[in-house]
Amino acid sequence: MKRALVCGAGGFIGGHLVKKLKREGYWVRGVDSKPHEFAPTQADAFRLLDLRDPQNCRTALTLSDGGSFDEVYQLAADMGGMGFISVSECEVLHNNALINIHMTHAAAEAGVARYFFSSSVCIYRDMQPDEPPVTEDDAIPANPDNEYGWEKLYAERVAMAYGRRHPMHVRIARFENCYGPEGTWTGGREKAPAALCRKVAEAEDHGTIEVWGEGTAIRVFTYVDDLVDGIFALMHSDLGDPVNLGREDRATVADLVRTVIEASGKRMTIKYVPGPVGVQARNFSKARIASLGWKPKVSLEEGIARTYSWIQAQVKVAQDSASRT
Ligand code: NAD
Protein backbone atom coordinates (compact mmCIF):
# COMPACT_ATOMS: atom_id res chain seq x y z
CA MET A 1 0.00 0.00 0.00
CA LYS A 2 1.40 3.41 -0.95
CA ARG A 3 1.83 5.93 1.84
CA ALA A 4 1.09 9.63 1.38
CA LEU A 5 1.54 12.67 3.60
CA VAL A 6 -0.88 15.56 3.05
CA CYS A 7 0.32 18.86 4.53
CA GLY A 8 -2.61 21.23 5.05
CA ALA A 9 -5.02 18.28 5.51
CA GLY A 10 -7.05 20.39 7.95
CA GLY A 11 -7.80 22.84 5.14
CA PHE A 12 -10.19 22.94 2.21
CA ILE A 13 -8.29 21.36 -0.70
CA GLY A 14 -6.11 19.20 1.58
CA GLY A 15 -9.26 17.73 3.20
CA HIS A 16 -10.69 16.80 -0.21
CA LEU A 17 -7.32 15.44 -1.36
CA VAL A 18 -7.20 13.10 1.65
CA LYS A 19 -10.58 11.68 0.55
CA LYS A 20 -9.32 11.23 -3.01
CA LEU A 21 -6.18 9.40 -1.83
CA LYS A 22 -8.25 7.12 0.40
CA ARG A 23 -10.48 6.29 -2.60
CA GLU A 24 -7.30 5.47 -4.52
CA GLY A 25 -6.27 2.98 -1.81
CA TYR A 26 -3.49 4.92 -0.04
CA TRP A 27 -2.51 4.92 3.62
CA VAL A 28 -2.68 8.64 4.43
CA ARG A 29 -1.25 10.79 7.19
CA GLY A 30 -2.63 14.31 7.41
CA VAL A 31 -0.82 17.16 9.07
CA ASP A 32 -1.95 20.69 9.85
CA SER A 33 -1.69 23.31 12.58
CA LYS A 34 -5.42 22.89 13.20
CA PRO A 35 -8.00 20.10 12.82
CA HIS A 36 -10.43 20.25 9.89
CA GLU A 37 -13.23 22.60 10.90
CA PHE A 38 -16.04 21.16 8.79
CA ALA A 39 -15.64 17.41 8.42
CA PRO A 40 -13.90 14.63 10.36
CA THR A 41 -10.65 13.77 8.62
CA GLN A 42 -10.59 10.55 6.61
CA ALA A 43 -6.81 10.27 7.03
CA ASP A 44 -5.52 7.12 8.74
CA ALA A 45 -3.48 9.34 11.05
CA PHE A 46 -3.59 13.07 11.69
CA ARG A 47 -0.94 15.18 13.44
CA LEU A 48 -1.26 18.72 14.69
CA LEU A 49 2.08 20.34 13.82
CA ASP A 50 3.24 23.83 12.93
CA LEU A 51 5.21 23.25 9.73
CA ARG A 52 7.13 26.52 10.00
CA ASP A 53 9.35 24.59 12.42
CA PRO A 54 11.92 22.32 10.68
CA GLN A 55 11.77 19.72 13.47
CA ASN A 56 7.98 19.47 13.01
CA CYS A 57 8.51 18.87 9.28
CA ARG A 58 10.85 15.98 10.13
CA THR A 59 8.33 14.63 12.68
CA ALA A 60 5.54 14.79 10.06
CA LEU A 61 7.71 12.70 7.71
CA THR A 62 8.82 10.09 10.24
CA LEU A 63 7.24 6.65 9.94
CA SER A 64 7.38 4.08 12.73
CA ASP A 65 8.91 1.39 10.44
CA GLY A 66 11.80 3.69 9.48
CA GLY A 67 10.60 3.90 5.85
CA SER A 68 9.75 6.96 3.75
CA PHE A 69 6.52 8.31 2.37
CA ASP A 70 6.04 7.50 -1.30
CA GLU A 71 4.31 10.82 -1.87
CA VAL A 72 4.12 14.18 -0.08
CA TYR A 73 1.46 16.74 -1.03
CA GLN A 74 2.36 20.20 0.30
CA LEU A 75 -0.82 22.31 0.57
CA ALA A 76 -0.21 23.99 3.94
CA ALA A 77 -0.22 27.76 3.61
CA ASP A 78 -1.22 30.86 5.50
CA MET A 79 -3.71 32.11 2.96
CA GLY A 80 -7.19 33.41 2.18
CA GLY A 81 -9.08 35.50 -0.33
CA MET A 82 -8.12 38.99 -1.48
CA GLY A 83 -9.50 40.49 1.74
CA PHE A 84 -6.84 38.56 3.69
CA ILE A 85 -3.94 38.62 1.21
CA SER A 86 -4.19 42.38 0.69
CA VAL A 87 -3.52 43.15 4.38
CA SER A 88 -1.42 40.18 5.56
CA GLU A 89 1.62 40.41 3.32
CA CYS A 90 4.21 39.97 6.10
CA GLU A 91 2.46 36.88 7.52
CA VAL A 92 2.02 35.42 4.02
CA LEU A 93 5.68 35.94 3.06
CA HIS A 94 7.13 34.89 6.41
CA ASN A 95 4.97 31.88 7.28
CA ASN A 96 4.70 30.37 3.83
CA ALA A 97 8.39 30.73 3.01
CA LEU A 98 9.26 28.94 6.28
CA ILE A 99 6.78 26.12 5.63
CA ASN A 100 8.01 25.60 2.07
CA ILE A 101 11.74 25.86 2.75
CA HIS A 102 11.60 23.45 5.68
CA MET A 103 9.14 20.96 4.23
CA THR A 104 10.91 20.68 0.87
CA HIS A 105 14.26 20.20 2.60
CA ALA A 106 12.90 17.66 5.09
CA ALA A 107 11.16 15.67 2.33
CA ALA A 108 14.35 15.43 0.26
CA GLU A 109 16.34 14.46 3.37
CA ALA A 110 13.75 11.77 4.24
CA GLY A 111 14.04 10.16 0.80
CA VAL A 112 10.51 10.98 -0.39
CA ALA A 113 10.00 9.71 -3.95
CA ARG A 114 7.41 12.26 -5.16
CA TYR A 115 6.74 15.78 -3.88
CA PHE A 116 3.80 17.92 -4.92
CA PHE A 117 3.70 21.67 -4.34
CA SER A 118 0.48 23.71 -4.55
CA SER A 119 1.32 26.94 -6.32
CA SER A 120 -1.08 29.52 -7.70
CA VAL A 121 -1.80 31.51 -10.83
CA CYS A 122 -1.13 34.52 -8.56
CA ILE A 123 2.49 34.10 -9.71
CA TYR A 124 1.50 35.67 -13.09
CA ARG A 125 1.28 39.35 -13.94
CA ASP A 126 -2.04 41.14 -14.42
CA MET A 127 -3.60 40.75 -17.88
CA GLN A 128 -5.95 42.66 -20.15
CA PRO A 129 -9.42 41.09 -20.56
CA ASP A 130 -8.87 40.37 -24.29
CA GLU A 131 -5.28 39.05 -24.09
CA PRO A 132 -4.56 35.63 -25.62
CA PRO A 133 -3.62 32.84 -23.18
CA VAL A 134 -0.15 32.89 -21.62
CA THR A 135 1.74 29.67 -21.02
CA GLU A 136 3.52 28.42 -17.89
CA ASP A 137 6.86 29.64 -19.29
CA ASP A 138 5.53 33.23 -19.55
CA ALA A 139 5.68 33.51 -15.74
CA ILE A 140 9.25 34.80 -16.19
CA PRO A 141 10.05 37.73 -16.27
CA ALA A 142 7.84 37.89 -13.23
CA ASN A 143 5.56 40.61 -11.93
CA PRO A 144 2.97 39.07 -9.58
CA ASP A 145 0.23 41.36 -8.35
CA ASN A 146 0.76 40.54 -4.66
CA GLU A 147 3.25 39.10 -2.14
CA TYR A 148 1.37 35.78 -1.97
CA GLY A 149 2.27 35.30 -5.65
CA TRP A 150 5.93 36.23 -5.07
CA GLU A 151 6.26 33.69 -2.26
CA LYS A 152 4.65 30.98 -4.41
CA LEU A 153 7.11 31.73 -7.20
CA TYR A 154 10.04 31.49 -4.79
CA ALA A 155 8.69 28.24 -3.30
CA GLU A 156 8.32 26.76 -6.80
CA ARG A 157 12.01 27.46 -7.38
CA VAL A 158 12.96 25.92 -4.02
CA ALA A 159 11.01 22.76 -4.90
CA MET A 160 12.49 22.56 -8.42
CA ALA A 161 16.05 23.04 -7.11
CA TYR A 162 15.58 20.17 -4.64
CA GLY A 163 14.12 18.10 -7.47
CA ARG A 164 17.29 18.68 -9.50
CA ARG A 165 19.71 17.93 -6.64
CA HIS A 166 17.91 14.98 -5.01
CA PRO A 167 16.26 11.81 -6.32
CA MET A 168 12.82 13.34 -5.60
CA HIS A 169 10.30 13.87 -8.42
CA VAL A 170 8.81 17.33 -7.94
CA ARG A 171 5.41 18.23 -9.39
CA ILE A 172 3.96 21.73 -9.24
CA ALA A 173 0.41 22.84 -10.03
CA ARG A 174 -0.59 26.48 -10.32
CA PHE A 175 -4.20 26.40 -9.13
CA GLU A 176 -6.80 28.79 -10.41
CA ASN A 177 -9.64 29.76 -8.04
CA CYS A 178 -10.94 26.59 -6.44
CA TYR A 179 -14.29 26.36 -4.66
CA GLY A 180 -16.63 23.78 -3.17
CA PRO A 181 -18.12 22.59 0.11
CA GLU A 182 -16.08 22.22 3.32
CA GLY A 183 -13.98 25.32 2.76
CA THR A 184 -13.70 28.60 4.69
CA TRP A 185 -16.94 30.53 4.19
CA THR A 186 -16.76 33.26 6.84
CA GLY A 187 -14.27 35.05 9.11
CA GLY A 188 -12.26 37.08 6.57
CA ARG A 189 -10.21 34.41 4.80
CA GLU A 190 -13.01 33.16 2.53
CA LYS A 191 -12.60 33.49 -1.22
CA ALA A 192 -15.08 35.11 -3.61
CA PRO A 193 -17.31 32.06 -4.41
CA ALA A 194 -17.76 31.19 -0.71
CA ALA A 195 -18.18 34.84 0.34
CA LEU A 196 -20.88 35.37 -2.30
CA CYS A 197 -22.70 32.16 -1.32
CA ARG A 198 -22.67 33.32 2.31
CA LYS A 199 -23.91 36.83 1.51
CA VAL A 200 -26.78 35.49 -0.60
CA ALA A 201 -27.66 32.79 1.96
CA GLU A 202 -27.77 35.41 4.75
CA ALA A 203 -29.87 37.86 2.72
CA GLU A 204 -33.67 37.95 2.59
CA ASP A 205 -35.45 37.25 -0.70
CA HIS A 206 -35.59 40.59 -2.62
CA GLY A 207 -32.69 41.83 -0.47
CA THR A 208 -29.43 43.55 -1.50
CA ILE A 209 -25.88 42.18 -1.40
CA GLU A 210 -22.66 44.15 -1.63
CA VAL A 211 -19.96 42.88 -4.01
CA TRP A 212 -16.39 44.21 -4.16
CA GLY A 213 -15.31 45.84 -7.43
CA GLU A 214 -17.44 46.33 -10.52
CA GLY A 215 -18.10 42.71 -11.45
CA THR A 216 -15.78 42.89 -14.47
CA ALA A 217 -12.76 40.95 -13.11
CA ILE A 218 -12.28 37.73 -15.09
CA ARG A 219 -11.40 34.44 -13.41
CA VAL A 220 -11.59 30.68 -13.82
CA PHE A 221 -13.48 28.84 -11.07
CA THR A 222 -12.69 25.15 -10.65
CA TYR A 223 -14.71 22.75 -8.51
CA VAL A 224 -12.64 21.05 -5.81
CA ASP A 225 -13.32 17.44 -6.92
CA ASP A 226 -11.97 18.26 -10.38
CA LEU A 227 -8.96 20.01 -8.88
CA VAL A 228 -7.95 17.05 -6.70
CA ASP A 229 -8.32 14.72 -9.71
CA GLY A 230 -5.91 17.05 -11.53
CA ILE A 231 -3.43 17.02 -8.61
CA PHE A 232 -3.45 13.23 -8.60
CA ALA A 233 -2.99 12.98 -12.38
CA LEU A 234 -0.12 15.48 -12.30
CA MET A 235 1.62 13.77 -9.39
CA HIS A 236 1.78 10.53 -11.39
CA SER A 237 2.83 12.15 -14.66
CA ASP A 238 6.21 12.96 -16.15
CA LEU A 239 5.55 16.72 -16.14
CA GLY A 240 8.45 18.15 -14.14
CA ASP A 241 7.73 21.80 -14.93
CA PRO A 242 4.90 23.82 -13.33
CA VAL A 243 1.42 23.18 -14.74
CA ASN A 244 -1.63 25.48 -14.78
CA LEU A 245 -4.59 23.69 -13.20
CA GLY A 246 -8.08 25.02 -13.82
CA ARG A 247 -11.02 24.92 -16.20
CA GLU A 248 -10.84 26.39 -19.69
CA ASP A 249 -13.95 28.57 -19.49
CA ARG A 250 -13.62 31.96 -17.87
CA ALA A 251 -16.27 33.91 -15.98
CA THR A 252 -16.59 37.47 -14.74
CA VAL A 253 -17.37 38.15 -11.11
CA ALA A 254 -20.81 39.33 -12.35
CA ASP A 255 -21.32 35.86 -13.93
CA LEU A 256 -20.35 34.26 -10.63
CA VAL A 257 -22.77 36.46 -8.66
CA ARG A 258 -25.57 35.62 -11.12
CA THR A 259 -24.85 31.90 -10.79
CA VAL A 260 -24.95 32.06 -6.98
CA ILE A 261 -28.24 33.97 -7.02
CA GLU A 262 -29.74 31.45 -9.45
CA ALA A 263 -28.66 28.60 -7.16
CA SER A 264 -30.41 30.32 -4.23
CA GLY A 265 -33.72 30.82 -6.05
CA LYS A 266 -33.87 34.32 -4.51
CA ARG A 267 -34.32 37.67 -6.25
CA MET A 268 -31.54 40.04 -5.25
CA THR A 269 -30.21 43.51 -5.96
CA ILE A 270 -26.43 43.71 -6.40
CA LYS A 271 -24.55 46.76 -5.14
CA TYR A 272 -20.93 46.98 -6.35
CA VAL A 273 -18.72 48.68 -3.76
CA PRO A 274 -14.98 49.47 -3.58
CA GLY A 275 -12.88 46.60 -2.18
CA PRO A 276 -9.76 44.49 -2.84
CA VAL A 277 -10.36 42.83 -6.20
CA GLY A 278 -6.90 41.75 -7.37
CA VAL A 279 -5.95 41.48 -11.03
CA GLN A 280 -8.31 42.45 -13.87
CA ALA A 281 -8.09 39.28 -15.91
CA ARG A 282 -6.67 35.77 -16.16
CA ASN A 283 -6.17 33.70 -19.29
CA PHE A 284 -3.80 30.75 -19.10
CA SER A 285 -3.04 27.89 -21.43
CA LYS A 286 -4.28 24.53 -20.17
CA ALA A 287 -2.44 22.53 -22.83
CA ARG A 288 -0.06 20.88 -20.33
CA ILE A 289 -2.69 19.56 -17.95
CA ALA A 290 -4.93 18.59 -20.91
CA SER A 291 -2.04 16.51 -22.30
CA LEU A 292 -2.60 14.17 -19.31
CA GLY A 293 -6.21 13.61 -20.35
CA TRP A 294 -7.51 15.65 -17.39
CA LYS A 295 -10.94 17.12 -18.05
CA PRO A 296 -13.02 18.94 -15.42
CA LYS A 297 -16.46 17.36 -15.02
CA VAL A 298 -18.35 19.86 -12.86
CA SER A 299 -19.78 23.00 -14.50
CA LEU A 300 -19.85 26.32 -12.65
CA GLU A 301 -23.65 26.02 -12.30
CA GLU A 302 -23.48 22.54 -10.80
CA GLY A 303 -20.49 23.30 -8.56
CA ILE A 304 -22.03 26.50 -7.23
CA ALA A 305 -25.35 24.74 -6.59
CA ARG A 306 -23.51 22.15 -4.43
CA THR A 307 -21.43 24.83 -2.68
CA TYR A 308 -24.41 27.12 -2.07
CA SER A 309 -26.43 24.36 -0.49
CA TRP A 310 -23.55 23.46 1.86
CA ILE A 311 -22.94 27.12 2.84
CA GLN A 312 -26.66 27.74 3.25
CA ALA A 313 -26.72 24.88 5.78
CA GLN A 314 -23.71 26.37 7.64
CA VAL A 315 -25.41 29.79 7.74
CA LYS A 316 -28.57 28.23 9.16
CA VAL A 317 -26.63 26.43 11.91
CA ALA A 318 -24.83 29.69 12.79
CA GLN A 319 -28.11 31.68 12.82
CA ASP A 320 -29.88 29.05 14.95
CA SER A 321 -27.03 29.01 17.44
CA ALA A 322 -26.94 32.85 17.60
CA SER A 323 -30.70 32.96 18.22
CA ARG A 324 -30.33 30.52 21.17
CA THR A 325 -27.73 32.72 22.94
P1 NAD B 1 -6.80 26.42 3.38
O1 NAD B 1 -6.48 27.68 4.10
O2 NAD B 1 -8.17 25.86 3.52
O3 NAD B 1 -5.74 25.29 3.74
C1 NAD B 1 -4.42 25.55 4.10
C2 NAD B 1 -4.14 24.82 5.39
O4 NAD B 1 -2.78 25.08 5.77
C3 NAD B 1 -5.01 25.29 6.56
O5 NAD B 1 -5.77 24.22 7.10
C4 NAD B 1 -4.02 25.83 7.56
O6 NAD B 1 -4.36 25.58 8.92
C5 NAD B 1 -2.73 25.10 7.17
N1 NAD B 1 -1.57 25.80 7.68
C6 NAD B 1 -1.31 27.13 7.65
N2 NAD B 1 -0.17 27.40 8.30
C7 NAD B 1 0.31 26.21 8.74
C8 NAD B 1 1.45 25.84 9.48
N3 NAD B 1 2.34 26.76 9.90
N4 NAD B 1 1.64 24.54 9.77
C9 NAD B 1 0.74 23.60 9.37
N5 NAD B 1 -0.36 23.89 8.66
C10 NAD B 1 -0.58 25.19 8.36
O7 NAD B 1 -6.46 26.71 1.83
P2 NAD B 1 -6.78 25.86 0.54
O8 NAD B 1 -7.75 26.66 -0.26
O9 NAD B 1 -7.13 24.47 0.89
O10 NAD B 1 -5.38 25.93 -0.21
C11 NAD B 1 -4.47 24.83 -0.21
C12 NAD B 1 -3.25 25.23 -1.03
O11 NAD B 1 -3.65 25.58 -2.36
C13 NAD B 1 -2.49 26.43 -0.47
O12 NAD B 1 -1.12 26.25 -0.68
C14 NAD B 1 -2.98 27.57 -1.34
O13 NAD B 1 -2.05 28.62 -1.38
C15 NAD B 1 -3.15 26.88 -2.68
N6 NAD B 1 -4.10 27.56 -3.57
C16 NAD B 1 -5.43 27.57 -3.28
C17 NAD B 1 -6.31 28.20 -4.15
C18 NAD B 1 -7.80 28.22 -3.88
O14 NAD B 1 -8.54 28.75 -4.72
N7 NAD B 1 -8.29 27.68 -2.79
C19 NAD B 1 -5.85 28.84 -5.31
C20 NAD B 1 -4.46 28.82 -5.56
C21 NAD B 1 -3.60 28.15 -4.70
Side-chain angles (χ1 to χ4, degrees):
M1 190 185 245
K2 278 196 183 173
R3 296 184 288 192
L5 177 69
V6 177
C7 308
F12 167 48
I13 302 172
H16 284 275
L17 180 62
V18 168
K19 291 185 201 172
K20 163 82 181 168
L21 292 168
K22 287 307 300 170
R23 288 194 296 274
E24 297 289 340
Y26 281 62
W27 185 88
V28 181
R29 176 186 287 166
V31 59
D32 202 297
S33 51
K34 64 162 180 62
H36 203 294
E37 287 162 68
F38 308 116
T41 184
Q42 291 192 12
D44 299 279
F46 191 94
R47 298 239 176 126
L48 285 176
L49 291 168
D50 183 340
L51 297 174
R52 293 173 299 179
D53 178 337
Q55 182 52 45
N56 285 344
C57 293
R58 287 193 282 274
T59 303
L61 286 156
T62 303
L63 287 161
S64 55
D65 65 0
S68 311
F69 279 97
D70 300 287
E71 298 173 10
V72 170
Y73 295 83
Q74 198 325 67
L75 291 99
D78 196 0
M79 63 92 66
M82 280 315 298
F84 172 76
I85 286 173
S86 59
V87 295
S88 311
E89 45 195 11
C90 297
E91 294 86 342
V92 163
L93 283 169
H94 176 265
N95 296 338
N96 295 338
L98 289 177
I99 294 170
N100 287 315
I101 289 169
H102 294 315
M103 189 40 92
T104 315
H105 182 83
E109 217 176 40
V112 166
R114 284 182 181 267
Y115 185 86
F116 173 86
F117 173 59
S118 54
S119 186
S120 163
V121 292
C122 282
I123 61 109
Y124 293 105
R125 62 175 170 80
D126 196 357
M127 295 179 72
Q128 295 301 313
D130 52 358
E131 263 192 73
V134 298
T135 71
E136 285 85 349
D137 297 338
D138 295 324
I140 307 291
N143 190 18
D145 175 63
N146 53 54
E147 302 303 347
Y148 170 76
W150 280 107
E151 190 284 328
K152 287 286 189 198
L153 198 58
Y154 171 71
E156 284 189 3
R157 297 189 76 86
V158 172
M160 285 191 287
Y162 274 80
R164 287 193 296 274
R165 300 287 167 191
H166 297 267
M168 179 167 84
H169 296 289
V170 168
R171 300 289 177 261
I172 297 171
R174 294 175 179 160
F175 300 162
E176 297 211 57
N177 294 50
C178 177
Y179 71 97
E182 298 175 9
T184 304
W185 59 277
T186 189
R189 285 181 184 248
E190 61 279 16
K191 300 189 137 213
L196 292 170
C197 287
R198 187 200 69 235
K199 287 180 186 190
V200 173
E202 285 173 347
E204 301 289 333
D205 195 9
H206 293 284
T208 300
I209 55 159
E210 289 193 347
V211 178
W212 289 344
E214 293 164 357
T216 51
I218 297 171
R219 298 287 184 275
V220 165
F221 299 101
T222 304
Y223 190 68
V224 65
D225 288 354
D226 285 331
L227 190 96
V228 298
D229 285 350
I231 295 173
F232 191 78
L234 175 59
M235 182 64 135
H236 300 97
S237 76
D238 294 331
L239 296 178
D241 290 327
V243 175
N244 297 329
L245 184 50
R247 296 177 63 82
E248 279 286 356
D249 49 336
R250 303 189 298 157
T252 62
V253 168
D255 294 331
L256 178 65
V257 176
R258 220 176 1 257
T259 310
V260 171
I261 293 172
E262 269 168 29
S264 76
K266 295 181 183 177
R267 279 141 298 179
M268 312 267 351
T269 302
I270 304 156
K271 188 177 166 200
Y272 287 103
V273 296
V277 174
V279 295
Q280 296 178 76
R282 301 277 192 211
N283 191 10
F284 305 117
S285 164
K286 304 293 165 17
R288 272 190 199 164
I289 192 70
S291 74
L292 301 179
W294 177 79
K295 276 202 193 94
K297 299 187 190 87
V298 182
S299 66
L300 185 63
E301 289 70 22
E302 190 183 339
I304 286 294
R306 292 182 200 176
T307 309
Y308 181 81
S309 105
W310 182 80
I311 291 179
Q312 187 185 33
Q314 307 304 305
V315 166
K316 181 155 184 352
V317 170
Q319 286 172 341
D320 289 351
S321 126
S323 69
R324 278 198 301 275
T325 53

mmCIF file of all heavy atoms in Angstrom, residues 96-111:
data_model
loop_
_atom_site.group_PDB
_atom_site.id
_atom_site.type_symbol
_atom_site.label_atom_id
_atom_site.label_comp_id
_atom_site.label_asym_id
_atom_site.label_seq_id
_atom_site.Cartn_x
_atom_site.Cartn_y
_atom_site.Cartn_z
ATOM 1 N N ASN A 96 4.704 31.317 4.944
ATOM 2 C CA ASN A 96 4.698 30.368 3.829
ATOM 3 C C ASN A 96 6.109 30.037 3.362
ATOM 4 O O ASN A 96 6.400 28.890 2.987
ATOM 5 C CB ASN A 96 3.819 30.885 2.688
ATOM 6 C CG ASN A 96 2.354 30.963 3.124
ATOM 7 O OD1 ASN A 96 1.955 30.277 4.063
ATOM 8 N ND2 ASN A 96 1.581 31.789 2.472
ATOM 9 N N ALA A 97 6.995 31.025 3.391
ATOM 10 C CA ALA A 97 8.385 30.727 3.013
ATOM 11 C C ALA A 97 8.983 29.718 3.991
ATOM 12 O O ALA A 97 9.649 28.758 3.575
ATOM 13 C CB ALA A 97 9.214 32.009 2.986
ATOM 14 N N LEU A 98 8.712 29.896 5.295
ATOM 15 C CA LEU A 98 9.262 28.938 6.275
ATOM 16 C C LEU A 98 8.707 27.538 6.045
ATOM 17 O O LEU A 98 9.458 26.555 6.016
ATOM 18 C CB LEU A 98 8.945 29.395 7.707
ATOM 19 C CG LEU A 98 9.713 30.622 8.204
ATOM 20 C CD1 LEU A 98 9.249 30.992 9.611
ATOM 21 C CD2 LEU A 98 11.218 30.371 8.200
ATOM 22 N N ILE A 99 7.397 27.445 5.860
ATOM 23 C CA ILE A 99 6.782 26.115 5.630
ATOM 24 C C ILE A 99 7.433 25.469 4.408
ATOM 25 O O ILE A 99 7.839 24.294 4.444
ATOM 26 C CB ILE A 99 5.257 26.244 5.389
ATOM 27 C CG1 ILE A 99 4.530 26.751 6.635
ATOM 28 C CG2 ILE A 99 4.674 24.892 4.942
ATOM 29 C CD1 ILE A 99 3.056 27.126 6.393
ATOM 30 N N ASN A 100 7.547 26.211 3.325
ATOM 31 C CA ASN A 100 8.010 25.599 2.070
ATOM 32 C C ASN A 100 9.500 25.284 2.086
ATOM 33 O O ASN A 100 9.920 24.229 1.592
ATOM 34 C CB ASN A 100 7.625 26.496 0.886
ATOM 35 C CG ASN A 100 6.127 26.404 0.633
ATOM 36 O OD1 ASN A 100 5.561 25.314 0.630
ATOM 37 N ND2 ASN A 100 5.474 27.541 0.461
ATOM 38 N N ILE A 101 10.303 26.157 2.663
ATOM 39 C CA ILE A 101 11.744 25.863 2.750
ATOM 40 C C ILE A 101 11.963 24.593 3.585
ATOM 41 O O ILE A 101 12.671 23.671 3.183
ATOM 42 C CB ILE A 101 12.500 27.048 3.404
ATOM 43 C CG1 ILE A 101 12.553 28.238 2.456
ATOM 44 C CG2 ILE A 101 13.910 26.630 3.816
ATOM 45 C CD1 ILE A 101 13.046 29.517 3.125
ATOM 46 N N HIS A 102 11.328 24.561 4.762
ATOM 47 C CA HIS A 102 11.599 23.453 5.678
ATOM 48 C C HIS A 102 10.974 22.143 5.199
ATOM 49 O O HIS A 102 11.580 21.082 5.338
ATOM 50 C CB HIS A 102 11.110 23.795 7.088
ATOM 51 C CG HIS A 102 11.890 24.931 7.695
ATOM 52 N ND1 HIS A 102 13.258 25.005 7.633
ATOM 53 C CD2 HIS A 102 11.483 26.048 8.350
ATOM 54 C CE1 HIS A 102 13.673 26.117 8.227
ATOM 55 N NE2 HIS A 102 12.619 26.770 8.673
ATOM 56 N N MET A 103 9.785 22.209 4.647
ATOM 57 C CA MET A 103 9.139 20.957 4.229
ATOM 58 C C MET A 103 9.828 20.371 3.000
ATOM 59 O O MET A 103 10.037 19.158 2.921
ATOM 60 C CB MET A 103 7.640 21.197 3.963
ATOM 61 C CG MET A 103 6.834 19.954 3.731
ATOM 62 S SD MET A 103 7.230 18.516 4.779
ATOM 63 C CE MET A 103 6.134 18.693 6.133
ATOM 64 N N THR A 104 10.228 21.210 2.067
ATOM 65 C CA THR A 104 10.912 20.682 0.873
ATOM 66 C C THR A 104 12.233 20.030 1.285
ATOM 67 O O THR A 104 12.566 18.920 0.844
ATOM 68 C CB THR A 104 11.184 21.818 -0.147
ATOM 69 O OG1 THR A 104 10.018 22.622 -0.274
ATOM 70 C CG2 THR A 104 11.567 21.272 -1.500
ATOM 71 N N HIS A 105 12.969 20.719 2.143
ATOM 72 C CA HIS A 105 14.264 20.200 2.600
ATOM 73 C C HIS A 105 14.075 18.875 3.353
ATOM 74 O O HIS A 105 14.777 17.888 3.084
ATOM 75 C CB HIS A 105 14.941 21.240 3.507
ATOM 76 C CG HIS A 105 16.285 20.824 3.994
ATOM 77 N ND1 HIS A 105 17.436 20.972 3.256
ATOM 78 C CD2 HIS A 105 16.667 20.237 5.165
ATOM 79 C CE1 HIS A 105 18.467 20.500 3.943
ATOM 80 N NE2 HIS A 105 18.034 20.051 5.103
ATOM 81 N N ALA A 106 13.114 18.864 4.280
ATOM 82 C CA ALA A 106 12.897 17.659 5.094
ATOM 83 C C ALA A 106 12.458 16.484 4.218
ATOM 84 O O ALA A 106 12.875 15.339 4.444
ATOM 85 C CB ALA A 106 11.846 17.939 6.178
ATOM 86 N N ALA A 107 11.632 16.753 3.205
ATOM 87 C CA ALA A 107 11.157 15.668 2.326
ATOM 88 C C ALA A 107 12.319 15.077 1.535
ATOM 89 O O ALA A 107 12.438 13.847 1.407
ATOM 90 C CB ALA A 107 10.070 16.190 1.377
ATOM 91 N N ALA A 108 13.195 15.936 1.021
ATOM 92 C CA ALA A 108 14.352 15.434 0.259
ATOM 93 C C ALA A 108 15.262 14.616 1.180
ATOM 94 O O ALA A 108 15.712 13.521 0.818
ATOM 95 C CB ALA A 108 15.110 16.608 -0.354
ATOM 96 N N GLU A 109 15.482 15.143 2.392
ATOM 97 C CA GLU A 109 16.337 14.461 3.368
ATOM 98 C C GLU A 109 15.752 13.094 3.755
ATOM 99 O O GLU A 109 16.484 12.131 3.980
ATOM 100 C CB GLU A 109 16.373 15.342 4.622
ATOM 101 C CG GLU A 109 17.671 15.414 5.346
ATOM 102 C CD GLU A 109 17.535 16.425 6.500
ATOM 103 O OE1 GLU A 109 16.486 16.482 7.186
ATOM 104 O OE2 GLU A 109 18.487 17.159 6.695
ATOM 105 N N ALA A 110 14.409 13.020 3.813
ATOM 106 C CA ALA A 110 13.749 11.775 4.245
ATOM 107 C C ALA A 110 13.633 10.760 3.106
ATOM 108 O O ALA A 110 13.092 9.673 3.311
ATOM 109 C CB ALA A 110 12.353 12.103 4.788
ATOM 110 N N GLY A 111 14.081 11.122 1.913
ATOM 111 C CA GLY A 111 14.044 10.161 0.803
ATOM 112 C C GLY A 111 12.673 9.994 0.173
ATOM 113 O O GLY A 111 12.355 8.922 -0.369
#
